[in-house]
Amino acid sequence: MEPPASNQHPYHQNYPTRPADPPSGYIPQQQQQQQAPPHQQYNAVQPTVASIPAKPKASFHSPPPRGAGITTTTPDEELEDGRVRNAEAVSKIRDAWIYTQISARAKEFTQYRNLRIFLGTWNVNAKFNDKDQLDEWLCSSWGPDGSTSPDIIAVGLQEMVDLNAVNVAVENKSAQKSQQWIERIRSTLNSKRNSANDPNRAYVDVKSKYLVGLMLCVFVKAPHRNRVKVVHSDHVGVGVMGMMGNKGGVSVRMQFYDSTLCIINTHLAAHRENVAGRNADFHNVCSKLAYDIGHEAAKESIQNGSLNHLGNGSQIIGVSDHDLVFWIGDLNYRIHESLATEEVLALAEKGDLGILKKNDQLNIERKAGRVFKNFNEGELNFLPTYKYQPGTDIYEKRPDKKLRAPAWCDRVLWMVQDQNHLKQLEYRRSELNISDHKPVMATFLATIKDVIPNEREKVYFSVMKKLDQYENKSLPMIGLDRTELDFGEVRYGKTITLPIKVTNTGNVVAQFRLVPKLDESKFCKPWLTVLPTYGMLIPGENETSINFTIQVNNEIASSLNSGKDVLEDIIILRLENGRDYYITIRGKYGRSCFGMSLDDLVMYNDPIRSVPLDPIKRVEKYGSDQTAVLCVPKELWRIVDAIYEKGLHERELFSISGYIEEVQRIRECLDTGEAFGNFRIHSMADVLLSFLSSLSATVVPSNLLPTLEVDAQNLQGYARTFLEGLPPIHYNVFVYIISFFRECLLFQQSNQLTTAKLARICVSCLVSGNQMDESKQANQRRSGMQLLMVHFLESSLI
């Protein structure tokens, strides 16, 4: 494949001629031509300005605000001796320490209840049949009089709707289908057959959550409803481009009596060989799920001994901060590829599960510690739940269908803070057969905490008595193992963390916190994160660490590339009722093409890492009247060229996330000019999309989004107006990307791309970038833009 400047490039042959009467400021192509020297790091002719006509400039987006640490409503007070104190901050830090001590003695004021919890998961393959009875799945272990019916029921569905392009992009059927399933499940649980019309055996809704094909609904028995509180839900999409909802997770968390529960339903990456993708999806969902439960709820949970750790005093908690966590869903782990598909089928049909369990990918990955760390799972004593011929109990072997190895895709795992507080009673599958998956269910006997307030008060007074012994002495003192942190070279997208150890060197309680500098509202710059932002140490207590983390994202990279900011800061650590400590932070940013603007990138033939960040040094090296020397950024050309040469046939191109280590190495090659190694195409494609999304100004400015409905009548005219409105370099890049995507569509039978999928990618990368406005008007404008992208991909206009 030749570079963009060459007339031999296959998808440059259909570049459009400009519409008649071009706008003012348009420079004819022959007047733009410049000779660009070959790049010193790789042997290829670079693109020149002459390749594509030019257009006007776009605006930048400002970065979003960042949060702070512990917040106070009262100002700091300067004492007579010059020391500064904030009584509110002291009180909050003190309370957090007290709750930590109380939680460690939770058994002294807690009684326990044994209650049953039922978890059900089913990939329904977009099937819905009112005639099929769900009792055999949901209610089969209740006993004849309902004596063993669960106290909590959580049901998770996957592929509730077809995961086609329309449903993934718009979710236009998910809400309706979710409600149909919830009503059907509720009617099954509360049918006369199952509840005997007894109000104490009836189930009431707690919360439901859906995301495209995923749905999770939670019910409790009516007598327990007033002991359910602090209910929250969240969702994470990890599908196409790492964000779409065709794969991902939905979750519900709640406080049940005085225990905290979190239930997650996920649908992870498909395909037998894609173990790494499934592992990545799990970690992605687990790390992104978060629940803002509020200050009072967080305080009560800690006081009841329910949070795993206090963290930094935040009211936002994660998955592991719960007493009980249940993870269900179509996890898509298969049987290891060392067993042939035919052999797996034969073993499954004979019921010979021993070899299959040893070769189960999830068992292998968990044993290696790569996924579901600290989670447990019951024994797999039931037949693999996938893949069946729908409507039968026969594994799919029809000659017109692809032969797939049976697997335990559908699983139920759990994590518990106290292993003695949860016992699995059953783990099996149902024989409902409308789908190509079998439903799976698990029942647990859980030990739930019920706090005795009077006993908790006794523990409280005991803790306070111990604290008073130290607070009534003299002033605090702390020691820091260092007050300067040099992070060295910091690169885009990578996280570097350095700790400072804090020790109580005095004889009294030491309370510390980070405070802003004079006339500033934040205690650190946006590129720096500090955790914890406050703390407390009693004399003799082990040292604690404050972790300082630098991470450069798109907005930060834009400021650093322009010279508006540098990686230097001073952090003030205030010892309450004591002195201030000043911590110096410094680092050197390794310039990256990620987070830059197109107009800046086309100005350099040199590797972007070698371009000085200092504006004065930049002028000394390149002159003050620097102009564009390339038609499109060389980094964009390199990554497109690599995919074109080796990856157009790649299956599920642009649908599977890349490997993190490879993605980072590819970014480094783009920034330094080094030649690409033997990288996977999916990693290259991932970098291409993230590069386009990271630009400080999107390829398509927001002012070009349609303001009126786009239809067949105005589509052609609007397309030409759109092209005329693009700034010069943006126009070049847009034509270049559209042409490349059209080339990809020539191989759609092998790479499984469609025009609709590429149109969505164009809108996400070229139009939305990292600015995801979710308003109704913005969604309508993006829908119109998607139709326009389909037009460009299918028509001869480009």
Side-chain angles (χ1 to χ4, degrees), residues 434-453:
I434 64 169
S435 171
D436 56 357
H437 289 249
K438 295 292 185 182
V440 169
M441 61 276 215
T443 304
F444 298 85
L445 186 64
T447 301
I448 301 297
K449 292 182 288 191
D450 193 359
V451 167
I452 307 169

Side-chain angles (χ1 to χ4, degrees), residues 283-455:
H283 289 293
N284 203 355
V285 172
C286 195
S287 64
K288 290 184 178 179
L289 287 174
Y291 316 92
D292 187 348
I293 63 175
H295 176 69
E296 290 302 318
K299 189 165 69 173
E300 181 182 357
S301 293
I302 297 166
Q303 190 173 3
N304 292 337
S306 287
L307 283 187
N308 186 25
H309 60 275
L310 177 61
N312 67 340
S314 172
Q315 62 195 35
I316 299 176
I317 63 173
V319 171
S320 63
D321 296 325
H322 294 83
D323 295 318
L324 302 172
V325 178
F326 297 97
W327 197 297
I328 66 176
D330 179 0
L331 308 188
N332 250 325
Y333 286 92
R334 312 299 175 89
I335 304 301
H336 194 274
E337 293 176 276
S338 59
L339 291 182
T341 299
E342 293 77 5
E343 184 179 359
V344 177
L345 262 170
L347 290 170
E349 290 175 338
K350 290 190 300 183
D352 188 350
L353 305 184
I355 297 176
L356 297 182
K357 286 191 283 189
K358 289 180 181 178
N359 287 276
D360 174 73
Q361 291 174 347
L362 181 55
N363 288 341
I364 294 171
E365 295 302 297
R366 287 182 59 221
K367 186 175 181 180
R370 288 188 286 267
V371 72
F372 284 100
K373 186 177 181 180
N374 298 324
F375 278 82
N376 302 289
E377 185 184 26
E379 189 72 21
L380 294 169
N381 291 326
F382 50 88
L383 291 174
T385 56
Y386 172 85
K387 178 180 185 177
Y388 281 87
Q389 181 178 333
T392 75
D393 295 319
I394 303 170
Y395 286 113
E396 181 63 83
K397 294 189 294 184
R398 289 177 289 181
D400 60 326
K401 301 291 184 179
K402 181 175 180 179
L403 188 64
R404 298 186 185 273
W408 286 287
C409 292
D410 312 281
R411 312 289 273 265
V412 177
L413 296 94
W414 73 90
M415 178 171 61
V416 59
Q417 299 298 339
D418 189 332
Q419 296 297 328
N420 297 319
H421 284 183
L422 194 69
K423 178 183 178 182
Q424 189 174 60
L425 302 177
E426 69 166 356
Y427 187 28
R428 60 190 181 90
R429 73 178 212 174
S430 166
E431 298 306 319
L432 295 176
N433 61 16
I434 64 169
S435 171
D436 56 357
H437 289 249
K438 295 292 185 182
V440 169
M441 61 276 215
T443 304
F444 298 85
L445 186 64
T447 301
I448 301 297
K449 292 182 288 191
D450 193 359
V451 167
I452 307 169
N454 290 338
E455 296 300 317

Side-chain angles (χ1 to χ4, degrees), residues 425-717:
L425 302 177
E426 69 166 356
Y427 187 28
R428 60 190 181 90
R429 73 178 212 174
S430 166
E431 298 306 319
L432 295 176
N433 61 16
I434 64 169
S435 171
D436 56 357
H437 289 249
K438 295 292 185 182
V440 169
M441 61 276 215
T443 304
F444 298 85
L445 186 64
T447 301
I448 301 297
K449 292 182 288 191
D450 193 359
V451 167
I452 307 169
N454 290 338
E455 296 300 317
R456 184 176 62 190
E457 291 304 308
K458 293 179 182 178
V459 173
Y460 173 78
F461 286 123
S462 173
V463 171
M464 293 303 300
K465 184 178 180 180
K466 177 182 178 181
L467 179 58
D468 288 342
Q469 294 175 0
Y470 296 100
E471 284 188 329
N472 292 332
K473 294 182 182 178
S474 109
L475 297 175
M477 293 178 62
I478 60 171
L480 307 180
D481 67 336
R482 51 181 170 173
T483 56
E484 293 186 6
L485 295 177
D486 190 343
F487 285 79
E489 186 176 73
V490 179
R491 297 178 182 175
Y492 173 90
K494 286 191 175 182
T495 300
I496 303 177
T497 299
L498 294 178
I500 288 182
K501 294 180 180 179
V502 184
T503 307
N504 187 341
T505 58
N507 297 317
V508 298
V509 173
Q511 299 171 333
F512 58 87
R513 62 189 174 101
L514 302 182
V515 297
K517 294 179 279 293
L518 186 65
D519 298 328
E520 293 185 11
S521 59
K522 307 292 176 62
F523 56 77
C524 65
K525 290 187 176 181
W527 42 262
L528 182 65
T529 303
V530 188
L531 291 174
T533 59
Y534 64 91
M536 175 170 165
L537 293 168
I538 65 173
E541 188 175 356
N542 292 337
E543 65 186 16
T544 189
S545 292
I546 302 177
N547 293 312
F548 295 77
T549 302
I550 290 182
Q551 184 176 33
V552 177
N553 57 23
N554 298 329
E555 293 79 13
I556 301 302
S558 177
S559 297
L560 295 173
N561 285 322
S562 64
K564 295 178 181 178
D565 199 2
V566 292
L567 296 180
E568 294 179 3
D569 201 1
I570 294 177
I571 306 301
I572 302 175
L573 177 65
R574 176 158 296 163
L575 180 62
E576 296 299 335
N577 204 30
R579 56 165 287 197
D580 287 346
Y581 296 80
Y582 296 90
I583 301 170
T584 302
I585 308 293
R586 65 172 61 92
K588 180 181 179 182
Y589 178 54
R591 183 192 276 270
S592 173
C593 59
F594 288 79
M596 291 187 66
S597 70
L598 292 173
D599 291 328
D600 286 338
L601 286 169
V602 297
M603 296 175 71
Y604 307 105
N605 267 320
D606 296 333
I608 205 66
R609 181 67 54 77
S610 67
V611 177
L613 288 168
D614 189 322
I616 297 176
K617 293 181 179 179
R618 210 158 54 236
V619 170
E620 291 175 354
K621 183 173 181 179
Y622 297 102
S624 58
D625 56 345
Q626 191 179 3
T627 58
V629 296
L630 302 170
C631 67
V632 297
K634 58 186 179 298
E635 295 83 0
L636 175 61
W637 172 80
R638 287 188 66 194
I639 194 71
V640 167
D641 184 70
I643 298 172
Y644 178 84
E645 288 291 337
K646 299 179 180 179
L648 294 184
H649 293 276
E650 187 71 17
R651 183 179 171 213
E652 295 196 7
L653 185 62
F654 298 113
S655 296
I656 298 177
S657 299
Y659 291 78
I660 295 176
E661 291 184 2
E662 285 193 351
V663 167
Q664 292 176 345
R665 286 162 57 197
I666 294 168
R667 285 177 179 172
E668 194 66 9
C669 290
L670 291 177
D671 292 335
T672 62
E674 294 178 6
F676 291 139
N678 188 23
F679 300 126
R680 296 174 178 85
I681 291 301
H682 289 300
S683 298
M684 304 289 278
D686 193 329
V687 172
L688 173 60
L689 300 187
S690 62
F691 170 79
L692 294 170
S693 298
S694 74
L695 293 169
S696 59
T698 54
V699 175
V700 178
S702 58
N703 65 299
L704 291 183
L705 268 68
T707 55
L708 301 175
E709 184 176 352
V710 178
D711 55 32
Q713 300 295 325
N714 61 13
L715 183 59
Q716 189 76 16

